[in-house]
Each structure stands twice: as structure tokens, then as C-alpha cells.
Amino acid sequence: AGAPLTDTVLPQVVPGADSSARQLCFAWGPAEVLVCETLFGRSGGSRSRCLAGAAAWALTDSVAGTEDGAPSSSRVFVVRRDQDIYIQTLRKLFNESHGIFMGLQRSEEELAGKSRKTQLVQVSKNYRSVIRACMEDMHQAAVSTRDPALQGQYSTQVSILSAMELIWNLCEILFVEAATAGPLLLRLLDWVRLHVCDVDSMVREVLSSESPSKHKLFWNVVDVFVLQGRMDEARHLLSKEASANPTSMNMYKILDDLMKKMPVPSLSNTQTLTELELKWQHWHEECQRYLQDGTFASNPHMESICKILLGDEDAILEKKELMTTWYHFLVTRLLYSHPTVKPMELRFYAQSSMDLFLGGESSPEPLDMILMAAFEFEMHQVIKECSIVLSNWWFFFHLTDLLDHCKLLQSHNLFLMHVIISGYLLFFFCFGSNMREFLLLEYASGLFSHHSLWQLGVDYFDHCPEYGRVYLELHIERIPLSTEQKALKVLRICEQRQMHEQVRSICKIMAMKALRNNRLGSALSWSIRAKDAAFATLISDRFLKDYCERGCFSDLDLIDNLGPSMLLSDRLTFLGKYREFHRLYGEKRFPEAARLLLTLMTAHIAPCSFWMTLLTDALPLLEQKEVIFSAEQTYELMRCLEDLTAGNPDKQKFQDDDIETTKVEMLRLALARNLARVIVKEGTVEGS
Amino acid sequence: AMEDVSAKFVSQKISRTRWRPLPAAALQPPDIFATGSWDNEDNRISIWSAGDLGNAGLNGEYHGEPHLLCDIQHNGDVMDMQFLDQERIVVASSTGTVTIFRHHQNNQTLSANHRWEKAHYHVDQDTSCGGAACTGVVCNNPEIVTVGEDGRINLFRADQKDAVRTIDNADSSTLHAVTFLRTTEILTVNSIGQLKIWDLRQQRNEPSQIFSLAGDRVPLHCVDRHPNQQHIVATGGQDGMLSIWDIRQGTMPVSLLNAHEAEMWEVHFHPSDPDHLFTCSEDGSLWHWDTSTNVSEKPSFLHQGGRSTAYLSHSTINQSVVSAWLSNDPTKDRMEITNLIPNQTLSVNSLDVLGPCLVYGTDAEAIYVNRQLFA
């Protein structure tokens, strides 16, 4: 399973970027890097260097994965960091693990001690089952596609996912569950059984054949079972062979008995380690006796099994092909020679097992190094090595987060780390902030760069104590607001987090859009939502301008229903009230209409620029058969008119403009006539 | 119960889920449903089978997850979706286009059957851009009514190329949803908290009645009418509030029920069992509102056996309890409210109920089917 990982070790070269002739410069984005060629020639050995925030990042001169390049002499390249999120099937991984991640953050500190550990192990298992489900989907996709390139891509992903699961499972045993001597071996056996699948097809073939004991691979399968500690299955197979060979019945019986009696650690606390060791010693001596007195000498297969039971390294190593990996060898070796191995002793056996297994023929691959680091309990090394070979932020972020919740990373607040991610070599110093935070920010930024996974990123930023908020603020503003519904979703995210600045900006963008589309009503509701008084004023002015031009209101349904939001801006209040005046007038409630009209001016609700229109609106009221304005009101109207004509610094305008002059004259005349009528009327009323 | 729910991650954010209507007199529970996606680079309409009923175990428990029958690419976000009949689905797009897709059941394919390009638009229909999102669609075969961000109402007929009727600027704010009140009347809700009735026989381009929320004009996002008592209407708002309106009286809702913590995206009365109501929300919850009278009566019909009996036997009870929606204080009286999705974090954008079955879709790119709603 280790092989494909080597393929992902980078760096690669950006096609078209000639770093040998020109120096390149970089600008770091949240999930992408801009690379451009500079005018400077290359001076030997110097490296581009850039600073970003608290972290200093240096870059190798070649980077990986390109999108496009502009065909000019000085070119800019967009380099995408995390390609994995663009693979359709993996979206399941991101979405489903988001749910698990959120559950883990919620569960924080609720439980203590043992039940907390059980909970964390369950979380770890949930993560793994998501990886496995993805693997199955990916495998299905690989099988069902006819495109060989795609098939290759899927198969690569299957191998990567399977390696991820292998590493995760081991970390779960060693770090999350922190299995102790005894149970540790059982867990490692499960781990090997689950992941060494290369022999599965052989086992199936033999078991399904008509008479397994006649099959040429029969003994291989028995060996596989023994090597994996699957004693019951091995004994079952052997019993078939025994019944076919009555002559060697006794030999079979003895071997069967040895296998049956083999003491194994138990998960329950019923036996102590000392008891186990004692029993094991006895059993070991018994095996030794049978081997020495040549009980199995007539059957080399059974003799070799007996040697394996005795933990004979050479005998086990002879079955190299059946184990396929050094870590299988390690676990088999532990099973038959050190069943009560303690966690801290693992490192010695692991190292020697790898050396023995590889035997200097081949050098360890990246996956081997990761597993070795895990056996050595070098957690940071595991994460570092993973980041070098897996171009996938998902894995090491979620693993780191889980380990952080196990309180395993907390003593490392200051460290220097170098990672290669998709081919960039990064050195970063983390002062004060920890690795979890760094990885979280990177992972969430990657999600935000995706067309539709950005929503998941929000929750991740929320759990980033130091910079999460700042990152979210920067990212959320870049989400394209294609529909109002999407805008509402983004807005909800911002409102829930009291991101007032972003709320305002989103509403403003939407209000501007609506305004451009001549949807004044929508524009107004957006500015009301943002409580943006200035913009509400702007829109109210557009309404009033429309009214002045067309002589009627548009969007009455909205203006008539402003409710309390009318108070948002003075201009909006005026708009609402002015519309109310028109309604009263339309309903022939003249005295109320007149009173409202006057208040609009005297209380300075109406903007000065609009007074002339209001006064003109008063004209028909002044001309009514019945007297509407009282003497006092008429005086006030007159004062308004004089204020307007006198107070206007732009006096010329009135004199130049014939229509305006005529209007003023008409108003004066009408006011005078009204005054005359009202004096007569009021005099009559008072006199009578 | 949660264990009756089967889920599937579909690698696309789901904006709409709809059961295919059952043929008249069908006794089988529904099986086929359609989904639409949004916010993807490549959005799709998909037809699913909820699963083979043959897989049901002895105790009637259900196994297996929904599986895809066929899908087709869709231009723009799917904003709304409605089955016109057994074979045709009308889809509203964020581009303003309304499309009828046909599901060919013999060879399991989907094809675009008819398309009204930019049925909703800003400023000018003929320019290259300028489409306005079509936010809602409702069908009453052969009639189709659509509403949009442009405040426009369109009346189409499935077999006619041009709109039968268009009301330009019907609303100055965004129309969020539409449903039929009666065959010639429709209900719309908008972004300033209004519920309007439009009589499509009238040539006047104005609503025949306007209802409105008091106080802050909280936008309304969804509307549904009681299937039997047509004067009872439910709407859901931006603040997650459920409003029940009696359109025979007043201009304000009869009751306001505190519900979700964020936008309520859909509200549905159970079509054959309308004392049950379902709502879903941006806050990631899906609520079941149950007014089916006193607790003492409940076990009697819930344990009548198979699923189909449970929902068929209900029509008789409706009349007596329907007023529960209009009682002055439904919360105090007899309403049981259950959140069907604890611990969900991302928005539940859509739900549909039919018979004993519920289907819903989320922004977490998953669809869920619950086939034993009343168990």
C-alpha cells in the first residue's frame, strides 16, 4: 500500500515559468499562490523570500499544479494548493467529516476520564468509517469508468485513502486509545488483519475450492491465518487436512492442541499480565519440546508452523510474501515472542523488524517512515511526514485536531516545522499559536476557495481561537452573491457572528444591484435590513425624483407598508409621510391632508429642495370650494414660501425661470385669496 | 425515529426535494423523488428511487439508501421545483428561466421538454444578461405560475409557447414563493412581510387582498395552504417564525409561533393528514408540528398496523381537529412539536411529505428519506 505515495512527492515545475532565467515572485492567497516572473535576472543561488503575518515562509523555486498562464512576456500563474477538493467523490469526505468535527467540538470537556476516552475513540472510528466509505465509492467509480486516465486517478485516490486510513488507525490505537500492554497487541492484530488485504483473494480462492486441502495454496492459507493470529480459522482448515490423512492424525492433534492452548491477552481485566506471561512461558516450553523431539519432522509445513509459534524470526521471515509488509512482520513477531509488549518498547521492535524485513534490499518509503514515527510515539514527526507525502489538508488537519482534543499536542506551543505541501517547501515558525490552529486555517481557507464547499469552512473558522474571525471576515466578503437567497445565507452567517461591517457591505452590494435593476423596493428592503440610513436616504431620493418626473408613485405596496422602518432615515420618514398625504388627499380627507402637508415643512421633515413641490401640492387644497387652511396655517404657508424664495441662495434661479416665477406668483395669489376667504369665514363663525 | 432515516451524500448542495405524485388510488407509499442542486459549478436535476421495498425486513424496518435513477444538467441554481404530473417536472432557475423536464421512465432518462427563457428578468428581456432569479413555481396541470426577484408573476400553460398572462412589477420587493389558493387564485409572499392574494381572472394588475405582518416587516420565505380548509394558510419567515393566517378575516396572522432560529425555507401541511405540518430552516432543523388532538386518542390510530393504513384512515379525523391551527393559543392547547434532526449544523433547504414518507435535502450535500413518519 506504500507504493503510490512516492508518486505524490513533489516538487514539480510550473509549466512555462522559467525560473532559471528569471527570478520569480510570489503572492500568497488563502488557497492559491500567484507566481509571476520578475524583470530581475537570476543571481546564483538566491531564493525568493516573503513575509506574511507572524510566519516567515520561504519557497523553493519550483511549485506544483497550475491553472493557467497569460501569454505575455511577463506572466502570472495561479497555483492551486489543494486539488483534492475538486474531486467529486471526496466531497462526501469533507461534508461528512464536517459533521463529526462539529460533534467533537461540541462534546468538549463534557465527560472526563474513561468515558471521555471512549468518546474520542468513537469519534476516531467515525472519521475512519468516512474514509472507508469514500474509498469504496472511489473504488466503485474506478471499476465503472471506461476512461483509463480517470481510472488511474481514482485508483491513486483509493491508495491514498487506504494509506490515510492505515495511518489513522495506528494513531488511534497508539495515541487516542493509548492501548496498554496486552490489549495493545490485540489492537495491532486487528489493525494488520484489516489492512493487509493482498492475501484475501488467495484465501477466498482456497476456501471456496471443492476440497481446500488438495489446493496447491492450502498451506499458504494456513500460514496466513497463523501469521495473523487467526487460530480458529487455521485449526478449522487443518482439521480438514487431518481427516484426509488418518496416518498423521496424531501429529495434527498435537499441533491443534498447541494452537488451541496458546495464551492470548484478554481485553477484560480477569487476568494479570504476570499470569499471562507465566502461562505463555509454559506453552512456549511445550512447543519447544515438541519441536526438539521431532514430532513434526515428517511434515515440513507443520514444522515451520511450530517454529512460527515459537517466534523463530527466520521461520517467520521465510513467509515474507505472505506478510507483504514489515509492519505485519512486526506484529507477528510480537504475537509469538513478546505478547505483553509495552507501548514504549514498540520502537525497538519496529526498527529491527523493518531492518530485518527490508534486509537492505530496498529503502523505506514515506509511508514506512510515517508508521515508524508513530511506533516511536513521535506525534509531530507523524504529522510532519504526512504533510510531506499526502497533498491533502483534510487528513492531517482532522488528525491533528483529534490529537489536540486528546490533550496530546499542548506542550508544543512553540516549534519550528517544515512541511512540503503540494510541492511547496514551507518553513513556518509558530509563535504562541499552535499547529492545530495553523492547519485549521489552511484547511478552512481551502474550503473557502471552492465554489460550493465554502459553507463548511465557516464552522471550521469558528473553532480557530486566534485568527479564525479575521480569516472569516476576509473570506466571506469574496463569496459571489449570485442570488438573493445566497446573499441571505451569507448574511445569516455574518449576523450570527456580529460581523457588522460585513453585514453592511453585503446589504449594500445587494441594494446597489437592486438599484441598478431599477428595483427600488428591493433596494430599500436591503438597506433597511442593514440599517443603512445613508443608503435609505439615497433610495428615498430616487423615489421622490421618480415621483417628480412621473407625477405618481411607483412601488406603493412598499411605501404604504414601511411601518417602523420608516424611522431609519429622515428622508424615508418624509417619503412615507408624503405618501400618506397623497392617500389622505385621494380619500378626500382634506383637513388632515392639509395639516400633514404643513407639518412636513414646519417640522423640517421635508428637504428644502422639495418644498416647492409641497407648496404646489397645496394649490388644489387652496382652490377647494370649502376653506381648508385656517388663517394661522395660511400664514405659515406664506412664511414657508417666503423662506424658500428669500432663503434660497440661488435666487437667480427663480427669477430666470419663468415657470418657477409663475408658480410662486400663483401660490401667492392663491394664498392671499385663501386668507381673504378664511378671514371672512372665521370672522363669521366667531361673530355668530 | 432516527434509525428509520436513510441518508445519502450526493456531492452537491440540495436546494429542492420533491416526491413524484402518486397515481390516484395508489396504495403503495411513494418511491420516486426528484432533487435539484444549487451553488455548484454544474447544477443538476436528479431522479432517485428511495429504495427497493423488497428490502424491508420482517418488522417493516427499512434498509438501504436512495439510489440515482437518472440526472440532467441544469443551467443555474435550482430555486424551486414542482411535479406537473407523473412524468414532468417544472424547474425554476436562478437565471430566470423556467424549464419543464420529462422523466422517461422506460429508459430512465431526463430531457428538457419545454423552456421559457428568462421568464423573469430585470430591465430588458432580450439583453444577454439581465435574467432575474425565478424564486417560486407552482403547478396545477396544465397551468404553471412562477414568481421572481423581479417582482413579476407569470402564468404559463404547459402546452403553450408564450405566457398566458404576465403581471409586470406585481410586487416592488422580491416575491419569494407562490401557491394556489383556488384554481384561479394564487397566494404570494414577499420580502417585506406581505401575503397577497391574486385573482388571475381579474384583468387588474393588483392583488385582490393584502395581508401583512405587524411591526418589523420580516420577509416571508414560504407559504402553504391547508389542503382541506382553504382559508387556513401557513407562512414561514426570515426570523424562523411560523405564521398561521385565516384569510377570511383580518389582515394580520391569527397566530405567530416561535419556531426556528433562522430563515424558514419551506412549510408544508401534510397533504392527506393536515393536522401535521412540517417546516425546515437555515438553522439546520426540521420540525414536525402535530395538532392531532389529545394524547389519549393518539395510540389508537398509530398502532393500527401497516404504514398505509396509518395515513389512509386519517381523513375522517381531519374535520374535528382542523380548527386547532386557528385556536387562539395553539401552543398551549394541543400542539406537539418535534425536531426531527438533532445536531444538524448546515441548512435544511427543502422538504416534501407524502403518505408516510418524508424527504429532505441539505447544504451538507446529503439527502434523507424517512419512510415511517408516523411510527
Side-chain angles (χ1 to χ4, degrees):
Chain A
L5 287 182
T6 48
D7 303 338
T8 61
V9 175
L10 302 160
Q12 294 168 2
V13 174
V14 178
D18 186 2
S19 60
S20 59
R22 282 184 165 169
Q23 276 190 10
L24 299 174
C25 67
F26 306 86
W28 289 80
E32 287 160 343
V33 177
L34 289 178
V35 180
C36 59
E37 296 171 346
T38 64
L39 294 171
F40 303 106
R42 183 145 183 93
S43 57
S46 81
R47 299 211 157 182
S48 311
R49 195 164 264 282
C50 60
L51 287 164
W57 293 342
L59 216 67
T60 52
D61 43 352
S62 50
V63 283
T66 62
E67 267 207 335
D68 60 47
S72 71
S73 60
S74 213
R75 286 175 289 188
V76 177
F77 303 87
V78 180
V79 183
R80 219 173 238 182
R81 182 175 305 178
D82 195 342
Q83 286 292 345
D84 288 345
I85 60 174
Y86 293 92
I87 297 170
Q88 193 78 355
T89 319
L90 283 187
R91 282 171 66 163
K92 178 178 178 154
L93 182 71
F94 299 117
N95 276 291
E96 216 172 339
S97 55
H98 167 258
I100 301 171
F101 171 81
M102 292 301 284
L104 176 59
Q105 316 304 313
R106 263 196 297 266
S107 77
E108 190 94 60
E109 316 301 335
E110 264 170 33
L111 300 163
K114 206 169 176 191
S115 43
R116 173 69 174 161
K117 184 183 269 183
T118 318
Q119 193 181 37
L120 288 168
V121 171
Q122 192 51 51
V123 169
S124 176
K125 284 186 173 153
N126 290 346
Y127 276 128
R128 284 199 293 121
S129 78
V130 177
I131 302 177
R132 290 198 86 88
C134 259
M135 223 158 84
E136 270 163 40
D137 285 358
M138 199 71 86
H139 180 71
Q140 272 308 314
V143 168
S144 58
T145 185
R146 289 208 188 91
D147 178 358
L150 217 53
Q151 200 165 31
Q153 197 197 347
Y154 289 142
S155 306
T156 310
Q157 284 297 325
V158 171
S159 325
I160 292 175
L161 286 168
S162 121
M164 277 174 13
E165 212 256 330
L166 175 81
I167 299 165
W168 192 301
N169 195 351
L170 184 60
C171 290
E172 179 183 306
I173 296 167
L174 299 178
F175 305 137
V176 183
E177 190 184 349
T180 51
L184 175 64
L185 179 72
L186 296 179
R187 292 274 178 263
L188 288 175
L189 275 173
D190 288 339
W191 175 66
V192 159
R193 286 170 196 159
L194 189 64
H195 290 98
V196 178
C197 327
D198 299 357
V199 290
D200 284 2
S201 57
M202 180 178 78
V203 172
R204 262 196 308 277
E205 190 194 319
V206 170
L207 291 183
S208 59
S209 71
E210 227 165 86
S211 73
S213 58
K214 297 258 171 19
H215 199 285
K216 62 180 192 307
L217 294 174
F218 172 79
W219 284 104
N220 280 356
V221 174
V222 177
D223 287 343
V224 164
F225 287 149
V226 173
L227 291 169
Q228 295 187 8
R230 293 153 76 173
M231 288 307 179
D232 292 340
E233 288 159 276
R235 287 173 54 214
H236 180 73
L237 261 191
L238 275 177
S239 70
K240 291 190 175 172
E241 170 75 358
S243 50
N245 293 299
T247 43
S248 40
M249 186 65 107
N250 193 40
M251 197 161 65
Y252 281 109
K253 241 189 190 139
I254 294 169
L255 186 62
D256 183 71
D257 195 45
L258 284 178
M259 286 164 81
K260 193 170 102 188
K261 280 198 295 195
M262 178 182 167
V264 281
S266 76
L267 285 176
S268 57
N269 293 327
T270 47
Q271 73 177 353
T272 64
L273 280 183
T274 335
E275 275 170 3
L276 175 70
E277 270 163 5
L278 215 64
K279 277 192 208 164
W280 197 79
Q281 203 57 46
H282 270 289
W283 173 78
H284 202 254
E285 280 161 12
E286 199 182 343
C287 295
Q288 194 83 45
R289 264 199 315 280
Y290 284 119
L291 187 67
Q292 275 163 2
D293 65 18
T295 309
F296 305 114
S298 63
N299 188 326
H301 295 299
M302 286 204 259
E303 186 166 42
S304 107
I305 288 176
C306 186
K307 280 184 183 162
I308 293 175
L309 294 186
L310 277 165
D312 181 329
E313 267 163 23
D314 295 328
I316 298 175
L317 265 180
E318 255 174 53
K319 313 287 176 193
K320 208 168 164 177
E321 283 78 44
L322 297 178
M323 292 184 289
T324 65
T325 64
W326 65 269
Y327 44 90
H328 188 337
F329 172 56
L330 163 69
V331 176
T332 306
R333 210 176 138 205
L334 291 175
L335 173 67
Y336 293 112
S337 17
H338 312 280
T340 56
V341 65
K342 294 184 185 65
M344 284 308 145
E345 295 163 353
L346 275 177
R347 61 171 69 215
F348 308 113
Y349 299 117
Q351 189 62 54
S352 65
S353 298
M354 188 164 87
D355 294 345
L356 278 171
F357 194 85
L358 298 180
E361 292 163 29
S362 54
S363 49
E365 285 171 5
L367 179 64
D368 300 325
M369 301 312 292
I370 295 169
L371 297 175
M372 185 56 76
F375 284 123
E376 287 169 350
F377 284 83
E378 296 289 346
M379 213 169 329
H380 286 91
Q381 190 67 21
V382 172
I383 291 166
K384 195 175 100 180
E385 298 272 351
C386 285
S387 68
I388 292 174
V389 289
L390 299 168
S391 62
N392 178 313
W393 287 95
W394 179 89
F395 174 77
F396 49 108
F397 161 62
H398 283 90
L399 184 60
T400 308
D401 178 59
L402 181 64
L403 297 178
D404 191 52
H405 277 87
C406 299
K407 310 234 177 289
L408 291 170
L409 293 172
Q410 296 199 335
S411 54
H412 298 84
N413 276 343
L414 170 69
F415 59 93
L416 160 65
M417 206 170 129
H418 79 278
V419 212
I420 301 176
I421 290 143
S422 297
Y424 322 142
L425 176 63
L426 309 179
F427 292 96
F428 55 88
F429 305 87
C430 296
F431 297 107
S433 72
N434 58 32
M435 178 152 64
R436 174 182 177 271
E437 167 122 358
F438 173 80
L439 293 174
L440 222 168
L441 289 172
E442 289 301 315
Y443 178 66
S445 298
L447 290 175
F448 254 96
S449 72
H450 188 271
H451 192 269
S452 44
L453 291 173
W454 58 273
Q455 271 172 304
L456 301 175
V458 177
D459 287 323
Y460 283 102
F461 279 138
D462 280 349
H463 290 95
C464 223
E466 259 180 90
Y467 297 106
R469 169 79 176 212
V470 183
Y471 268 60
L472 180 59
E473 284 173 359
L474 290 174
H475 277 290
I476 202 92
E477 285 185 338
R478 301 186 190 180
I479 300 294
L481 306 170
S482 44
T483 63
E484 289 194 6
Q485 174 138 348
K486 187 167 178 186
L488 287 173
K489 280 175 181 276
V490 179
L491 204 54
R492 175 62 63 183
I493 289 166
C494 297
E495 282 178 349
Q496 276 168 347
R497 288 157 184 80
Q498 275 95 45
M499 293 161 55
H500 304 297
E501 206 39 56
Q502 285 69 28
V503 168
R504 277 173 60 91
S505 109
I506 291 163
C507 288
K508 190 154 230 157
I509 291 166
M510 295 312 287
M512 285 300 291
K513 256 191 195 170
L515 206 58
R516 262 203 310 277
N517 290 326
N518 242 340
R519 302 278 303 148
L520 294 188
S522 292
L524 192 55
S525 23
W526 282 109
S527 42
I528 289 171
R529 172 126 188 211
K531 305 202 168 46
D532 187 341
F535 209 77
T537 301
L538 188 96
I539 297 163
S540 310
D541 282 341
R542 271 283 292 269
F543 270 114
L544 294 169
K545 192 173 139 249
D546 277 9
Y547 169 75
C548 291
E549 281 166 8
R550 284 192 268 164
C552 66
F553 280 105
S554 59
D555 305 303
L556 279 182
D557 54 340
L558 174 81
I559 302 171
D560 281 346
N561 281 285
L562 285 171
S565 56
M566 196 193 282
L567 301 173
L568 178 59
S569 99
D570 292 347
R571 200 60 48 83
L572 196 55
T573 316
F574 169 65
L575 177 67
K577 290 285 169 196
Y578 185 51
R579 162 60 192 157
E580 198 178 320
F581 160 75
H582 277 263
R583 212 181 55 232
L584 292 171
Y585 185 84
E587 290 165 5
K588 299 212 185 310
R589 292 151 73 180
F590 297 133
E592 288 165 76
R595 212 168 23 245
L596 180 57
L597 188 68
L598 198 56
T599 320
L600 286 180
M601 285 182 284
T602 53
H604 292 275
I605 297 169
C608 284
S609 58
F610 217 78
W611 281 29
M612 200 59 209
T613 315
L614 294 180
L615 287 165
T616 319
D617 283 333
L619 264 179
L621 286 170
L622 293 167
E623 303 294 332
Q624 290 293 323
K625 210 178 264 173
E626 228 169 288
V627 184
I628 291 159
F629 287 103
S630 68
E632 201 180 329
Q633 285 176 321
T634 317
Y635 285 129
E636 291 203 62
L637 276 179
M638 289 169 136
R639 194 180 318 127
C640 289
L641 181 61
E642 292 318 310
D643 280 359
L644 184 64
T645 46
N648 198 321
D650 203 7
K651 228 177 197 174
Q652 286 304 108
K653 196 180 142 204
F654 283 101
Q655 281 154 12
D656 293 347
D657 193 330
D658 276 350
I659 304 167
E660 286 301 315
T661 323
T662 322
K663 246 189 212 169
V664 172
E665 288 311 315
M666 273 172 64
L667 270 169
R668 284 195 176 129
L669 188 62
L671 284 166
R673 278 204 344 231
N674 191 67
L675 192 58
R677 284 161 66 199
V678 78
I679 288 172
V680 171
K681 186 193 159 203
E682 283 174 4
T684 319
V685 174
E686 271 166 36
S688 65
Chain B
M2 283 308 290
E3 50 272 22
D4 298 322
V5 179
S6 54
K8 187 173 178 70
F9 283 85
V10 293
S11 294
Q12 50 188 339
K13 292 199 274 196
I14 297 298
S15 56
R16 279 296 180 263
T17 55
R18 294 286 179 257
W19 288 112
R20 186 176 77 188
L22 292 169
L27 289 174
Q28 291 289 317
D31 176 43
I32 307 290
F33 63 93
T35 61
S37 75
W38 80 285
D39 206 28
N40 251 324
E41 275 160 310
D42 169 31
N43 286 299
R44 309 193 83 76
I45 306 291
S46 313
I47 306 282
W48 306 81
S49 164
D52 185 6
L53 262 185
N55 288 344
L58 281 177
N59 304 324
E61 82 270 35
Y62 170 76
H63 302 291
E65 57 179 30
H67 65 268
L68 183 69
L69 295 177
C70 52
D71 64 352
I72 191 169
Q73 203 256 333
H74 177 262
N75 215 347
D77 292 347
V78 173
M79 303 293 289
D80 199 8
M81 190 161 78
Q82 198 84 45
F83 272 92
L84 185 66
D85 52 29
Q86 296 267 317
E87 289 195 322
R88 289 177 294 172
I89 319 157
V90 187
V91 180
S93 165
S94 60
T95 61
T97 298
V98 177
T99 316
I100 303 182
F101 288 99
R102 184 182 285 276
H103 173 213
H104 305 275
Q105 291 172 47
N106 43 1
N107 59 358
Q108 292 302 352
T109 53
L110 272 168
S111 64
N113 180 249
H114 187 81
R115 184 167 284 150
W116 291 282
E117 295 283 353
K118 273 190 227 152
H120 292 270
Y121 59 94
H122 290 302
V123 194
D124 185 4
Q125 200 168 11
D126 299 322
T127 52
S128 59
C129 54
C134 175
T135 52
V137 58
V138 67
C139 308
N140 186 13
N141 196 5
E143 284 177 332
I144 299 162
V145 178
T146 66
V147 296
E149 279 183 13
D150 55 356
R152 192 171 269 112
I153 299 176
N154 285 310
L155 171 64
F156 299 108
R157 214 178 284 271
D159 45 12
Q160 283 180 25
K161 200 170 150 277
D162 294 313
V164 178
R165 170 125 191 245
T166 294
I167 306 177
D168 289 326
N169 215 14
D171 203 309
S172 61
S173 47
T174 295
L175 287 171
H176 280 145
V178 59
T179 193
F180 273 104
L181 177 61
R182 283 177 272 270
T183 44
T184 57
E185 283 175 291
I186 56 163
L187 290 163
T188 60
V189 288
N190 68 14
S191 64
I192 52 167
Q194 294 173 325
L195 170 70
K196 296 181 183 178
I197 302 180
W198 305 80
D199 188 338
L200 296 173
R201 289 167 305 187
Q202 302 274 332
Q203 280 314 303
R204 243 164 25 107
N205 285 345
E206 265 165 33
S208 51
Q209 250 182 299
I210 301 181
F211 304 85
S212 140
L213 292 173
D216 291 334
R217 273 41 177 179
V218 179
L220 294 175
H221 285 293
C222 50
V223 57
D224 195 25
R225 160 185 65 75
H226 194 288
N228 307 335
Q229 311 275 303
Q230 297 181 338
H231 56 277
I232 301 173
V233 172
T235 63
Q238 187 156 285
D239 52 359
M241 194 89 86
L242 173 69
S243 313
I244 306 288
W245 313 68
D246 182 348
I247 57 164
R248 296 170 308 187
Q249 52 189 348
T251 58
M252 295 207 293
V254 183
S255 51
L256 285 170
L257 301 164
N258 254 320
H260 303 281
E261 282 159 19
E263 286 84 355
M264 186 189 290
W265 293 127
E266 284 206 54
V267 56
H268 290 285
F269 284 101
H270 191 284
S272 54
D273 205 355
D275 34 348
H276 296 270
L277 181 121
F278 297 85
T279 60
C280 63
S281 158
E282 179 71 20
D283 69 5
S285 60
L286 192 157
W287 287 21
H288 175 186
W289 307 69
D290 180 0
T291 58
S292 57
T293 64
N294 15 46
V295 187
S296 60
E297 218 181 279
K298 224 172 163 186
S300 65
F301 76 82
L302 282 179
H303 292 287
Q304 273 177 358
R307 290 176 292 250
S308 47
T309 37
Y311 79 94
L312 287 175
S313 66
H314 253 260
S315 47
T316 47
I317 312 173
N318 291 336
Q319 301 305 318
S320 60
V321 296
V322 90
S323 58
W325 292 115
L326 294 182
S327 80
N328 280 331
D329 192 357
T331 40
K332 214 182 247 171
D333 280 347
R334 35 194 172 175
M335 190 166 323
E336 233 179 87
I337 305 160
T338 332
N339 180 9
L340 298 182
I341 322 175
N343 290 335
Q344 170 88 27
T345 54
L346 290 187
S347 173
V348 183
N349 294 324
S350 180
L351 73 93
D352 198 19
V353 274
L354 188 60
C357 300
L358 164 74
V359 60
Y360 59 94
T362 70
D363 274 344
E365 307 194 336
I367 47 177
Y368 298 83
V369 176
N370 181 344
R371 308 196 50 147
Q372 285 177 297
L373 213 39
F374 300 111

